[in-house]
Amino acid sequence: MTKKNISSGVVHKVPADLRVALTSNPKALAVWESLTPLARNEWICWVEFVKKEETRNEHVKRVRTELLEGKRRPCCWLGCIHRTDKAISPSVQWALRNKQPKI
């Protein structure tokens, strides 16, 4: 099996599970490749940010589905907090400060 070339984000590399989901659907892969590196970074971070494996699996599936639906960025996502090329916006800082602990 050959490893298909796939573009990464600004900070994040495409994880194996997302790579499989995207390369298994040529249309989703074409949309992925049409995204900016910043947009790809947001999708990757959105997948990697969750803690539970079942949630991550759902996010991986949703990336493919939502790309096919025409979405260019994850909905309701604060944005990647791992970027060092810019400061975290005040609204994201507020959201992170006020995040409710899970019970």
Side-chain angles (χ1 to χ4, degrees):
M1 182 171 108
T2 59
K3 188 175 181 180
K4 292 187 179 183
N5 209 13
I6 185 169
S7 299
S8 291
V10 174
V11 176
H12 299 289
K13 302 293 182 206
V14 181
D17 51 355
L18 183 57
R19 176 183 298 276
V20 168
L22 293 170
T23 58
S24 68
N25 187 305
K27 289 181 182 179
L29 181 58
V31 176
W32 178 262
E33 291 297 329
S34 75
L35 298 175
T36 66
L38 289 175
R40 289 191 299 265
N41 196 72
E42 297 293 315
W43 283 113
I44 297 166
C45 190
W46 184 70
V47 166
E48 292 183 335
F49 190 74
V50 297
K51 292 177 177 58
K52 289 183 176 181
E53 187 173 341
E54 65 189 54
T55 306
R56 181 184 173 113
N57 293 338
E58 183 180 316
H59 278 213
V60 167
K61 290 176 190 173
R62 281 183 57 193
V63 171
R64 184 179 57 208
T65 300
E66 291 184 8
L67 288 174
L68 292 171
E69 291 172 352
K71 294 185 179 162
R72 310 283 293 172
R73 302 254 180 161
C75 176
C76 308
W77 174 239
L78 297 173
C80 179
I81 61 171
H82 304 102
R83 288 181 58 193
T84 58
D85 60 330
K86 71 171 198 153
I88 298 174
S89 72
S91 61
V92 172
Q93 289 177 23
W94 179 89
L96 291 170
R97 251 192 332 270
N98 295 300
K99 186 177 177 183
Q100 296 295 319
K102 294 187 179 185
I103 299 174

